[in-house]
Amino acid sequence: MASLEIQNLQISIGDKPIVKGLSLTIRSGEVHAIMGPNGTGKSTLAKAIAGHPDYTITGGDVLLDGKSVLEMETDERARAGLFLAFQYPSEIPGVTIANFLRAALQARLAEGEEIDASAYYKRLYAKMDLLKIDRKFTSRAVNDGFSGGEKKRCEILQMAMLEPKFALMDETDSGLDIDALRIVAEGVNAQRGSAISPGILLITHYQRLLDYIIPDHVHVMWDGRIVKSGDKSLALELEAKGYDWVKQEFAAASA
Amino acid sequence: MSTASPATQSQNGSFTAEVFAAHLATQAAAPAWWLERKRAAYAQFAALPMPARTNEGWRFSNIGTLSLDGVAVATPSNLKSQISDFKFKAVAELTFANNTLSSRTALPADLAAKGVIVTTLAEAAVKHADLLKAHFMAQPQKLGSEKFAALHIAFVGDGAFIYVPKGVTVTDPIVVTHLASGAGTAVFPHTLVVAEENSRATVVDYFVSADASAHFACGANDLYAGHGAQLTYVAAQNWSPTTLSFQFNSTVVRRDARVQSLNLHLGARQARHESLSQLQAPGAFSEMLALTVAMGAQEFDQRTLQIHQAPNTKSDLLYKNALRDTARTIFSGLIVVDPDAQKTDAYQSNRNLMLSDDAEANSLPGLEIQANDVRCTHGATSSRIDPEQEFYLQSRGIAKAAADELLTFGFFEEVLNRLENEPLHDALRELIKTKF
């Protein structure tokens, strides 16, 4: 069983501390939801763990199977088993989905090893069918001109192809209508139920995604820290009481 | 030429009157008009000065490295095609090694029966003199290299002559390979294409060095698309990295004809490319495309001219350069719209992808419009790899260098995607990969 341990992590953008000591351990197969108001550091947490150069880790550690990832380049972290599903995936003109995923898989092979093209396409098409992505998309440029829903499905497709140990899903539900949300959730759940069974950190502002991807743990983030943890009922409580409740309850504590 | 002053000799470098006389002696089988044309060209070459820094047509160019010294007109070679890293289905192939035909494949019988001609300039000078007179280097040199164009005519040994008669379609590309071998070898590649009324053809020129030594290449191609013809022309320049290269393109587009040309620039230490498109009759369309991978200390100097000489004509230029290391590129493009060329639709765009802080891209877009009802757009941009795109690729496990390569190919794809011929598109992409 794999583990992702976030230990007292502190993250800054420039001189400004955003994440101020956050600890969380995720194991294979677990889904942890992090909820919280905008601007509380949720996306920063995900991007910094993936290695985004705009963020500085000023303290703490992130261990993947006991080994720190902080000295690794972004691509090394990805090959070690981390996956970031972007809130706003980049558009990559001129690079087709097929070539892009092939390059990503090729990067995981030893020098001199080549991808079996027919097996690759067979697997790619199967995952696309599951996510109701038209097979013609393989020859389209990555996210180029895609709708919001298409981009998010493309993120889940990449996750399905790359089979990470841990996925950090940053507001995957934002901009999705209910049908697209259901398709995306089915895609994630299919991976949860598979032998790969990644651990998932689900960052969301809204509870509705958690109706489709049932979390094992729910954490409330406020001002750069986890201030409350519970089971899925905590998400419902948040939905009922709203984030003002969080602010009132925890503002004093974090001040 | 014994009266030539020392200054004149130095501006002509290795191409002295004696060297020219020796070259003419090898052309004894050629018709008198051809030899006369060469003599006139040599006189023009010898009389013209080398480019000066003050010439507008050479702005930003490295003038000091344009030496004509230390080279010798190539002696014939029997090297065969070296197209192994640039492979796709071709209908006929000609290979010239050091200015001499070294191998050829026959045109399929049905195309030969329809009157398609794929032969040498030497043969065309005898059998198709009227066509050669009408189209060989027949257009004005307006972009700064009058001296080198004259040098080309003076010393051109052999080259390709391609003729597609009225209404004939040649589906697969006709491929001409121009090889240079041996240190200091001077080659003068030429490809002439005449596509008659409503014909269709694709012609590919491949310029390649057989060894890593420094060559001197001074080539030209003449393209003519008659009424309603559709001509696709691809030139891939892959000379050795120490070669000095000049290449002159002339494209004439007649009524409702369309020419698509794509120049891929990979090789040479310094490569000057001049491209002239003349839209001569209504409905004419010239699509001018180029891709350059500039690395090391290479300099790619591209000068273009789109002349709209008739109403309702269209030109669309897209030149993309990727620059690494301390490489330099120069793009200077001019759109000219003649007074009666109303409803002209002209577009010109130069885009530079800067992969190094030490590389230098110079852009000089220009317009000269004498008609009042036209649509002309031009622009130049330089940008770096987008760090968010790079992060996105890296976050999928792709190392930075591979990510940048993917993004560079993505940048090129906008141009490559304009080609209809998929195998040719793929072959060009593979050829570009050899430079990474």
Side-chain angles (χ1 to χ4, degrees), chain A residues 6 14 34 75 111 120 147 170-171 180 183 208 223 234 254:
Chain A
I6 304 166
I34 290 192
D75 53 293
E111 185 107 12
Y120 164 68
S147 70
D170 189 6
E171 308 254 5
I183 293 166
R208 64 170 193 163
D223 192 27
L234 178 58
S254 65

Side-chain angles (χ1 to χ4, degrees), chain B residues 306 308 313-315 335 337 344-348 375-377:
Chain B
Q306 298 151 261
H308 291 258
T313 51
K314 186 176 171 186
S315 64
I335 297 170
V337 181
T344 279
D345 183 355
Y347 184 77
Q348 181 199 86
R375 191 172 71 181
C376 293
T377 318

Side-chain angles (χ1 to χ4, degrees), chain B residues 141-152:
Chain B
Q141 295 296 325
K142 290 173 175 269
L143 287 161
S145 283
E146 292 79 357
K147 183 178 180 74
F148 306 114
L151 179 69
H152 171 80

Side-chain angles (χ1 to χ4, degrees), chain B residues 166-328:
Chain B
K166 182 176 171 180
V168 175
T169 293
V170 182
T171 306
D172 290 320
I174 296 163
V175 181
V176 185
T177 302
H178 307 270
L179 274 166
S181 72
T185 291
V187 291
F188 300 89
H190 197 101
T191 294
L192 187 151
V193 184
V194 176
E196 295 282 27
E197 194 175 328
N198 292 321
S199 66
R200 291 187 72 147
T202 298
V203 175
V204 179
D205 262 335
Y206 183 44
F207 305 97
V208 63
S209 294
D211 52 57
S213 58
H215 305 126
F216 174 88
C218 184
N221 65 288
D222 296 306
L223 309 178
Y224 174 88
H227 189 158
Q230 294 201 36
L231 175 62
T232 300
Y233 172 77
V234 173
Q237 188 269 93
N238 196 21
W239 298 125
S240 77
T242 46
T243 291
L244 173 61
S245 168
F246 297 91
Q247 181 74 20
F248 315 110
N249 157 254
S250 158
T251 301
V252 171
V253 196
R254 302 295 300 168
R255 181 181 286 267
D256 297 330
R258 176 191 166 160
V259 175
Q260 180 187 58
S261 59
L262 194 167
N263 288 282
L264 172 65
H265 305 287
L266 299 177
R269 69 173 162 81
Q270 185 170 6
R272 168 89 173 190
H273 190 268
E274 297 183 3
S275 187
L276 163 70
S277 268
Q278 297 179 87
L279 294 310
Q280 294 189 335
F285 175 29
S286 180
E287 189 179 10
M288 302 161 76
L289 307 169
L291 292 178
T292 303
V293 183
M295 57 197 288
Q298 285 181 303
E299 176 178 301
F300 291 93
D301 184 4
Q302 301 173 89
R303 312 276 165 164
T304 66
L305 183 53
Q306 298 151 261
I307 311 183
H308 291 258
Q309 298 163 326
N312 290 298
T313 51
K314 186 176 171 186
S315 64
D316 181 2
L317 180 149
L318 178 59
Y319 275 34
K320 286 193 159 191
N321 302 321
L323 294 92
R324 300 165 57 155
D325 310 319
T326 58
R328 300 179 76 231

Side-chain angles (χ1 to χ4, degrees), chain A residues 92-158:
Chain A
I92 318 282
V95 179
T96 64
I97 289 181
N99 284 344
F100 167 55
L101 276 171
R102 205 177 162 136
L105 289 168
Q106 184 72 48
R108 286 161 169 79
L109 298 181
E111 185 107 12
E113 255 183 274
E114 285 291 330
I115 285 173
D116 173 349
S118 65
Y120 164 68
Y121 274 101
K122 201 175 156 194
R123 192 164 151 254
L124 179 60
Y125 287 147
K127 307 282 188 197
M128 291 178 90
D129 292 351
L130 188 72
L131 287 160
K132 298 185 172 60
I133 300 173
D134 190 326
R135 290 183 177 192
K136 288 196 192 100
F137 267 61
T138 51
S139 56
R140 284 191 53 182
V142 178
N143 297 324
D144 192 14
F146 287 19
S147 70
E150 286 167 345
K151 283 182 183 170
K152 295 301 171 75
R153 273 186 277 166
C154 183
E155 293 292 289
I156 305 307
L157 173 67
Q158 293 170 43

